[in-house]
Amino acid sequence: MQTIDSITIPKREDQSHKGDYGRILLIGGNQNMGGSIMLSSRACVYSGGGLTTVCTHHSNHTALHSRCPEAMVSDLNDIKRLTKLVTEADCILVGPGLGLDIKGNNTLTFILQHVQPHQTIIIDGDAITIFSKLRLTLPDCEVIFTPHQMEWERLSGIKIDDQTPERNRQAADELGAHVILKKHHTELYLKTGDYKIDKGNPAMATGGMGDTLAGMIAGFIGQFETEEAIKYAVYIHSKIGDQLSQTMYVTPPSMIINEIPFMMKKLEAK
Amino acid sequence: MQTIDSITIPKREDQSHKGDYGRILLIGGNQNMGGSIMLSSRACVYSGGGLTTVCTHHSNHTALHSRCPEAMVSDLNDIKRLTKLVTEADCILVGPGLGLDIKGNNTLTFILQHVQPHQTIIIDGDAITIFSKLRLTLPDCEVIFTPHQMEWERLSGIKIDDQTPERNRQAADELGAHVILKKHHTELYLKTGDYKIDKGNPAMATGGMGDTLAGMIAGFIGQFETEEAIKYAVYIHSKIGDQLSQTMYVTPPSMIINEIPFMMKKLEAK
Amino acid sequence: MQTIDSITIPKREDQSHKGDYGRILLIGGNQNMGGSIMLSSRACVYSGGGLTTVCTHHSNHTALHSRCPEAMVSDLNDIKRLTKLVTEADCILVGPGLGLDIKGNNTLTFILQHVQPHQTIIIDGDAITIFSKLRLTLPDCEVIFTPHQMEWERLSGIKIDDQTPERNRQAADELGAHVILKKHHTELYLKTGDYKIDKGNPAMATGGMGDTLAGMIAGFIGQFETEEAIKYAVYIHSKIGDQLSQTMYVTPPSMIINEIPFMMKKLEAK
Amino acid sequence: MQTIDSITIPKREDQSHKGDYGRILLIGGNQNMGGSIMLSSRACVYSGGGLTTVCTHHSNHTALHSRCPEAMVSDLNDIKRLTKLVTEADCILVGPGLGLDIKGNNTLTFILQHVQPHQTIIIDGDAITIFSKLRLTLPDCEVIFTPHQMEWERLSGIKIDDQTPERNRQAADELGAHVILKKHHTELYLKTGDYKIDKGNPAMATGGMGDTLAGMIAGFIGQFETEEAIKYAVYIHSKIGDQLSQTMYVTPPSMIINEIPFMMKKLEAK
């Protein structure tokens, strides 16, 4: 397993416009866990996603816009509009704050039925648990799972203590998906290889940190090749956390997000 | 085509008051794209517009006030109040996040019917598409269009690849309006001449950037002579973007807005 | 007329608690102009008012709390609660964004009927216009009016061009109130003397600036003797504006507010 | 009574995750005093609480999320969900902005009936007054009261002038709870000893300061041993206040909160 100890982000083309950086659709946030999708959304925008639309319970629209007017919103109950948004997206993130009830089930099932081969889907948080529980099958497109260890146990059937690189690799292959296993030193089981990040620190052990990473991956998928996008996102997320933890005992996700454009610039190709 | 490579903003008169800096009316923001008009509104206020009122779907009022309490709000469905606001305004911006449905059509048609000769109207975003689609006619007042290349194709009938300065100039003349053609190096087809901005960079290629520029133009129209206002706004918008992009890979529009009063001061006449 | 060219704010007593710094009640903000009372509220809190309660249209509660969780809220339509709040307050500010319709009339009339001799009332913005229009009479307590020149014309009957210090002084005496006449160099007609502030600048000529000053006065009334409170507020408001205008072409009221605690500290007695 | 004049916060374990830092449930905020629980919530998150859920009147959800998307929300009227949340929590804070009416009574009574022996409950603000008024009995778990002097009078029956360390100690013993008596120099009557903080200053005498402290205690209980958590919270709260008051005449609670992670880091064990 290779350690990612540096990355270089490509420069943007001068002639480019927002359409070149992806149409990202973020889906999640029920009446109780709307903050999750708000974090993902702003992380996506601050990661450079071209056009970000957030499909969430309507009670979350105002707070989301208060924090991030750069994103568009849609009501999760408006299926007609959701269908249109899914059709138009380049990348779909589903799961942050989605909830584990029947509505969450229905939303995930709907998305998996409508996603198209040219799209990339990121299955995060509650959507991983629902996927595992309902034994859903993967759509025919690029799929990224972002489980923490317990969610990975649910998804792969491998108990946390048995989650060795070999078994994880095998399970990822069987799934036919990229797997980002979030832990002290996050591991990436990508289709073309295994990677490890030796960054990150316990100041990042706080609610919303995973939602933020998921939003970053979504924003990066809009801009970069899939496996590169994943590596960049995980690396930058942890590197910002390490930087902030020099002066902060805990690093609130909102403050991680603020730093994304600056860290990306530092890592940009000369 | 002359390149604008410096500008100087006039000093404010000591004895002036907010009424001297314009009554600006911003119209846009449906239930899904309210963030657009929120960006325009704060951009207008931070550009020094005297009194800013925002007519938008009522579901956007709270988030707008959360970000910008300096603006007043009105419900886009309250036609009686809209009529009054249109009558009182010096400058009207219509379009950011307006939506392309029947409500958007009706709003734009209504505004064009009620605008008065002494007013200036800025037609932006969805309002450009609606204007093109419905083949509306221009009102008898100063009109500014702010299309990106695809919107300009819709408005002028000139395919993107054929959008040469000569053809653009001719189309602007036929329209009888000022045209700000947003692209890598934005071009201005003003009534008295053609200009080009060689600033701006791909870190600005992100959703909401055009809404921000539109709000700046509106705020400047309240303070400065029309063509000067346009030049100032486009120049400052790009110059801030260039400055931020020194340290940011992507420049979220919200952060562009924060810098407006500072950049204006740097460019103020001595 | 004496120019106030320096002030010194008393140090707080070590043994003091929030109850020593006043119960402030702010009343204003209809459905369209809620931003005004939001600015007043945060200005009051950042000026050190002990306990701040804001009575405003319920549609403003969320945005107000988003910006200033330190304040409590009440629905302007809840008369029973308003009655209780008026009874408990040390200082009442009425007017920012109140509106000029029948509801505004009723609110002001109600407040004037219920204010008590030991309280101080600040009549600002729309409440000045309503007071003038309805020819209301002053309650038997300390009253402060904060008109700009046009509002002063309505209140005093003196045309703007005729507003000389002598005539203003006489009108203030006839009113039996403190008058803060907001203009390029603001004039104070206090019960014990006339003062002038030679600070302030046209970067402050923007919507919401008066609401901010009104909130500062309210917060100061809770802490300091009446005439001192007025002088401090007007002086500090202008001094912050002058400081910010060194680097900003326009000084949004929200940014004025951020500076209040810092400027107060600079001016604190040694 | 020992003076706490320094503290050292333990380093976090590398292998830890958010679940190790507590599930915190915050309960409070009626329709008028929602700002209180918003302050507590963000203070809890910025203090490093692992997972923060806020049970408050639904009208507060949007503003809470606008300020702190890291927290989850629940409607105070949804008793079924409240029951579940109480069951799952490690630490429960009840009181900030709860209100003194029948609903506040019912909420507190409900919580006291459902809290379990392994949990810690912090009774703050209005909940102290209700507890005193209804002469409720303490549940069989760790209990922390955070009264100011008047609330302590209600709770202990000791008049403010008679609140000597000896009598306070005795009353705390009789209560069988930890007592944090908030005053100029806050006193801690913990089960194993008495402590005093000689920090804090009158710039902190402003509404919402107690809500902020309560949220910090809750966040710390999730991470540290109970008595240590209390000492850390009171010490850090005052120390931040002292630091900010070097440059600020009044220290708004929102700004205290911003500093928590930084001050914690400064006090972290080497």
Side-chain angles (χ1 to χ4, degrees):
Chain A
M1 187 174 297
Q2 190 184 335
T3 297
I4 302 174
D5 48 20
S6 76
I7 63 163
T8 302
I9 300 180
K11 278 184 102 64
R12 288 186 161 194
E13 296 288 333
D14 268 356
Q15 298 286 345
S16 61
H17 58 88
K18 64 186 173 187
D20 296 323
Y21 301 121
R23 287 179 174 269
I24 323 293
L25 177 61
L26 312 178
I27 302 166
N30 65 12
Q31 277 185 277
N32 297 111
M33 296 182 292
S36 293
I37 203 74
M38 294 171 206
L39 289 166
S40 300
S41 305
R42 203 163 72 89
C44 180
V45 167
Y46 276 62
S47 297
L51 277 165
T52 302
T53 303
V54 188
C55 200
T56 183
H57 190 274
H58 62 81
S59 65
N60 297 320
H61 289 188
T62 293
L64 197 150
H65 267 148
S66 291
R67 292 193 75 81
C68 188
E70 287 87 355
M72 290 168 282
V73 298
S74 185
D75 185 349
L76 198 39
N77 288 326
D78 182 346
I79 297 298
K80 190 172 158 194
R81 196 173 161 86
L82 177 56
T83 308
K84 183 163 172 288
L85 290 168
V86 169
T87 304
E88 294 170 355
D90 299 312
C91 173
I92 299 168
L93 162 64
V94 60
L98 184 63
L100 294 169
D101 57 5
I102 184 75
K103 283 196 181 178
N105 295 352
N106 291 349
T107 299
L108 180 60
T109 306
F110 179 89
I111 299 300
L112 293 180
Q113 284 167 347
H114 286 76
V115 71
Q116 299 156 77
H118 69 276
Q119 297 174 323
T120 301
I121 184 168
I122 304 160
I123 301 178
D124 178 75
D126 288 344
I128 299 174
T129 300
I130 295 170
F131 186 91
S132 309
K133 188 178 59 183
L134 301 187
R135 301 175 173 274
L136 298 172
T137 49
L138 281 190
D140 178 25
C141 72
E142 289 270 32
V143 178
I144 300 165
F145 284 100
T146 55
H148 53 55
Q149 290 169 293
M150 176 56 70
E151 287 165 344
W152 181 231
E153 176 176 326
R154 286 180 205 131
L155 184 59
S156 67
I158 311 171
K159 300 262 179 227
I160 291 179
D161 287 345
D162 301 335
Q163 292 174 359
T164 60
E166 293 70 27
R167 297 198 60 176
N168 294 339
R169 176 71 263 171
Q170 188 183 349
D173 286 342
E174 284 164 14
L175 269 170
H178 304 283
V179 173
I180 300 172
L181 179 56
K182 297 183 291 193
K183 45 184 292 203
H184 173 45
H185 285 161
T186 289
E187 293 164 9
L188 313 184
Y189 298 95
L190 308 187
K191 290 192 184 165
T192 66
D194 302 351
Y195 302 89
K196 188 167 188 161
I197 304 283
D198 64 358
K199 300 201 180 306
N201 66 82
M204 299 174 76
T206 191
M209 201 55 80
D211 306 317
T212 300
L213 175 60
M216 291 178 70
I217 298 171
F220 282 9
I221 291 285
Q223 302 169 73
F224 311 117
E225 186 274 326
T226 305
E227 298 206 359
E228 295 308 303
I230 295 172
K231 291 180 206 167
Y232 296 168
V234 178
Y235 181 88
I236 291 177
H237 182 253
S238 290
K239 196 167 167 72
I240 293 172
D242 284 355
Q243 180 183 282
L244 293 184
S245 74
Q246 298 296 313
T247 53
M248 304 179 82
Y249 187 85
V250 63
T251 55
S254 296
M255 302 192 72
I256 298 277
I257 295 168
N258 293 343
E259 298 300 321
I260 300 171
F262 298 99
M263 185 59 79
M264 289 179 76
K265 185 69 185 182
K266 285 187 193 161
L267 300 172
E268 188 187 47
K270 300 304 168 203
Chain B
M1 186 174 297
Q2 190 184 335
T3 297
I4 302 175
D5 48 21
S6 76
I7 64 162
T8 302
I9 300 180
K11 278 184 102 66
R12 288 186 161 195
E13 297 288 333
D14 268 357
Q15 298 286 346
S16 62
H17 58 88
K18 64 186 173 187
D20 297 323
Y21 301 120
R23 287 178 176 270
I24 322 294
L25 177 61
L26 312 179
I27 302 166
N30 65 11
Q31 276 184 277
N32 297 109
M33 296 182 293
S36 294
I37 202 75
M38 295 172 205
L39 288 165
S40 300
S41 305
R42 202 162 73 88
C44 180
V45 167
Y46 276 64
S47 297
L51 277 166
T52 302
T53 303
V54 188
C55 200
T56 184
H57 190 274
H58 60 82
S59 65
N60 296 320
H61 289 188
T62 293
L64 197 150
H65 267 148
S66 291
R67 293 192 74 82
C68 187
E70 288 86 354
M72 289 168 283
V73 297
S74 185
D75 186 350
L76 198 39
N77 288 324
D78 181 347
I79 296 299
K80 190 172 159 195
R81 197 173 161 85
L82 177 56
T83 309
K84 183 164 172 287
L85 289 168
V86 169
T87 305
E88 294 169 356
D90 299 313
C91 173
I92 298 168
L93 162 64
V94 59
L98 183 63
L100 294 170
D101 58 5
I102 184 76
K103 283 196 179 178
N105 294 353
N106 290 348
T107 299
L108 180 60
T109 307
F110 180 90
I111 299 301
L112 293 179
Q113 284 167 347
H114 286 77
V115 71
Q116 299 156 78
H118 68 277
Q119 297 174 323
T120 301
I121 184 167
I122 303 160
I123 301 179
D124 178 75
D126 288 344
I128 298 174
T129 301
I130 296 170
F131 186 91
S132 309
K133 187 178 58 182
L134 301 188
R135 300 175 173 273
L136 298 172
T137 49
L138 282 190
D140 178 25
C141 72
E142 288 270 34
V143 178
I144 300 166
F145 284 101
T146 56
H148 54 55
Q149 290 170 292
M150 176 55 71
E151 287 165 343
W152 181 230
E153 177 176 325
R154 286 180 204 130
L155 184 59
S156 68
I158 311 171
K159 300 263 180 227
I160 292 180
D161 286 346
D162 302 335
Q163 291 175 0
T164 60
E166 294 70 28
R167 297 199 59 178
N168 294 338
R169 176 70 264 173
Q170 188 183 349
D173 286 342
E174 285 164 13
L175 268 171
H178 305 282
V179 173
I180 300 172
L181 178 55
K182 297 183 291 194
K183 45 184 291 205
H184 172 46
H185 285 161
T186 289
E187 293 165 9
L188 314 184
Y189 298 94
L190 309 186
K191 290 192 185 165
T192 67
D194 303 352
Y195 302 89
K196 187 167 188 163
I197 304 283
D198 63 358
K199 299 200 180 307
N201 66 82
M204 301 174 75
T206 191
M209 200 55 81
D211 306 317
T212 300
L213 175 60
M216 292 178 69
I217 298 171
F220 282 9
I221 291 285
Q223 303 169 73
F224 311 117
E225 187 273 326
T226 304
E227 297 207 358
E228 295 307 304
I230 295 171
K231 290 181 208 167
Y232 296 168
V234 177
Y235 182 88
I236 290 176
H237 182 253
S238 291
K239 196 166 166 73
I240 293 172
D242 284 355
Q243 181 183 280
L244 293 185
S245 74
Q246 299 296 313
T247 54
M248 305 179 83
Y249 187 86
V250 63
T251 55
S254 296
M255 303 192 72
I256 297 277
I257 295 169
N258 293 344
E259 299 300 321
I260 300 171
F262 299 98
M263 185 58 79
M264 289 179 77
K265 186 68 183 183
K266 285 187 193 160
L267 300 173
E268 188 188 47
K270 301 301 168 203
Chain C
M1 184 173 300
Q2 189 184 333
T3 297
I4 302 175
D5 48 21
S6 75
I7 63 163
T8 302
I9 300 180
K11 277 184 101 67
R12 287 187 161 193
E13 297 288 334
D14 267 357
Q15 298 287 345
S16 62
H17 58 88
K18 64 186 173 186
D20 297 324
Y21 300 120
R23 286 180 176 270
I24 322 294
L25 177 61
L26 311 179
I27 302 165
N30 65 11
Q31 277 185 276
N32 298 110
M33 295 183 293
S36 293
I37 202 74
M38 294 172 205
L39 289 166
S40 300
S41 304
R42 202 162 73 90
C44 180
V45 167
Y46 276 63
S47 297
L51 277 165
T52 302
T53 303
V54 188
C55 200
T56 183
H57 191 274
H58 61 81
S59 64
N60 296 321
H61 289 189
T62 293
L64 197 150
H65 267 149
S66 291
R67 293 192 73 81
C68 187
E70 289 87 354
M72 289 168 283
V73 298
S74 185
D75 185 350
L76 197 39
N77 287 326
D78 181 347
I79 296 299
K80 189 173 160 194
R81 196 173 161 88
L82 177 57
T83 309
K84 183 164 173 288
L85 289 168
V86 169
T87 305
E88 294 170 356
D90 298 313
C91 173
I92 299 167
L93 163 64
V94 59
L98 183 63
L100 294 170
D101 57 5
I102 184 75
K103 283 196 178 178
N105 294 352
N106 290 349
T107 299
L108 180 61
T109 307
F110 179 90
I111 299 301
L112 294 179
Q113 283 167 349
H114 287 77
V115 71
Q116 300 156 76
H118 68 277
Q119 297 175 323
T120 301
I121 184 167
I122 304 159
I123 302 178
D124 178 76
D126 287 344
I128 298 175
T129 300
I130 295 170
F131 186 91
S132 309
K133 187 179 58 183
L134 301 187
R135 301 176 173 275
L136 298 172
T137 50
L138 281 190
D140 178 24
C141 72
E142 289 270 34
V143 178
I144 300 165
F145 284 101
T146 55
H148 54 54
Q149 291 170 291
M150 176 55 71
E151 288 166 342
W152 181 231
E153 177 175 324
R154 287 179 203 131
L155 184 59
S156 68
I158 311 171
K159 300 261 181 230
I160 292 179
D161 286 346
D162 300 335
Q163 292 174 1
T164 61
E166 294 70 27
R167 298 198 58 177
N168 293 338
R169 175 71 263 171
Q170 188 183 348
D173 286 342
E174 284 164 13
L175 267 171
H178 306 281
V179 173
I180 300 171
L181 178 55
K182 297 182 291 194
K183 46 185 292 207
H184 172 46
H185 284 161
T186 289
E187 294 165 8
L188 313 183
Y189 299 94
L190 308 186
K191 290 192 184 164
T192 67
D194 303 351
Y195 302 90
K196 188 167 188 163
I197 305 282
D198 63 358
K199 299 199 180 307
N201 65 82
M204 300 174 75
T206 191
M209 201 54 82
D211 306 317
T212 300
L213 175 60
M216 291 178 70
I217 298 171
F220 282 9
I221 292 285
Q223 304 169 73
F224 311 117
E225 187 273 326
T226 305
E227 297 207 358
E228 295 307 303
I230 295 171
K231 290 181 208 167
Y232 296 168
V234 177
Y235 182 88
I236 290 176
H237 182 253
S238 290
K239 196 167 167 72
I240 293 172
D242 284 355
Q243 179 183 282
L244 293 184
S245 74
Q246 298 296 313
T247 53
M248 304 177 83
Y249 187 85
V250 63
T251 56
S254 295
M255 302 193 72
I256 297 278
I257 294 169
N258 293 343
E259 299 300 322
I260 300 171
F262 298 98
M263 185 59 80
M264 288 179 76
K265 185 69 183 181
K266 284 187 193 161
L267 300 173
E268 188 188 47
K270 302 301 169 205
Chain D
M1 186 174 298
Q2 190 184 333
T3 296
I4 302 174
D5 47 21
S6 76
I7 64 162
T8 303
I9 299 180
K11 277 183 101 66
R12 288 186 160 193
E13 297 288 334
D14 268 357
Q15 297 287 344
S16 61
H17 58 89
K18 64 186 173 186
D20 297 322
Y21 301 120
R23 286 178 175 271
I24 322 295
L25 177 60
L26 311 179
I27 302 166
N30 65 11
Q31 277 185 278
N32 298 110
M33 296 182 292
S36 293
I37 202 73
M38 294 171 206
L39 289 166
S40 301
S41 305
R42 202 162 72 89
C44 180
V45 167
Y46 276 63
S47 297
L51 277 166
T52 302
T53 303
V54 188
C55 199
T56 183
H57 191 275
H58 61 82
S59 65
N60 297 320
H61 290 188
T62 293
L64 197 150
H65 267 149
S66 291
R67 293 192 74 80
C68 188
E70 288 88 353
M72 289 167 282
V73 298
S74 185
D75 186 350
L76 199 38
N77 288 326
D78 181 347
I79 296 299
K80 190 173 160 195
R81 196 173 162 88
L82 177 57
T83 308
K84 182 164 175 287
L85 289 169
V86 169
T87 303
E88 294 170 355
D90 299 313
C91 173
I92 298 168
L93 163 64
V94 59
L98 184 63
L100 294 169
D101 57 6
I102 185 74
K103 283 196 179 178
N105 295 352
N106 290 349
T107 299
L108 180 60
T109 307
F110 179 90
I111 300 301
L112 293 180
Q113 284 167 347
H114 287 76
V115 71
Q116 300 155 77
H118 69 276
Q119 297 175 323
T120 301
I121 184 168
I122 303 160
I123 302 178
D124 178 75
D126 288 344
I128 299 173
T129 300
I130 295 170
F131 186 91
S132 309
K133 188 178 59 182
L134 301 187
R135 300 173 174 276
L136 299 171
T137 49
L138 281 190
D140 178 26
C141 72
E142 289 270 33
V143 178
I144 300 164
F145 283 102
T146 55
H148 54 54
Q149 291 169 292
M150 176 55 71
E151 288 166 342
W152 182 230
E153 177 177 324
R154 286 179 204 132
L155 184 60
S156 68
I158 311 171
K159 300 262 181 227
I160 291 179
D161 287 345
D162 301 336
Q163 292 175 0
T164 60
E166 294 70 25
R167 298 197 59 176
N168 293 339
R169 175 71 263 172
Q170 189 183 349
D173 287 341
E174 285 164 12
L175 268 171
H178 305 282
V179 173
I180 300 171
L181 179 55
K182 297 182 292 194
K183 45 184 293 205
H184 172 46
H185 285 160
T186 289
E187 293 164 9
L188 313 183
Y189 298 95
L190 308 187
K191 289 192 183 163
T192 67
D194 302 352
Y195 301 89
K196 188 167 188 162
I197 304 283
D198 64 357
K199 299 199 181 306
N201 66 82
M204 299 174 75
T206 191
M209 201 54 82
D211 307 317
T212 300
L213 176 59
M216 291 178 70
I217 297 171
F220 282 9
I221 291 285
Q223 303 170 73
F224 311 118
E225 186 275 325
T226 305
E227 297 206 359
E228 295 308 304
I230 295 171
K231 290 181 208 167
Y232 296 168
V234 178
Y235 181 88
I236 290 175
H237 182 253
S238 290
K239 196 167 166 73
I240 293 171
D242 283 356
Q243 179 183 282
L244 293 185
S245 74
Q246 298 296 313
T247 53
M248 303 179 82
Y249 186 86
V250 62
T251 56
S254 295
M255 302 192 71
I256 298 277
I257 294 169
N258 293 343
E259 299 300 321
I260 300 171
F262 298 98
M263 185 59 80
M264 289 179 76
K265 185 70 184 182
K266 285 187 193 162
L267 300 173
E268 189 188 47
K270 301 301 169 205

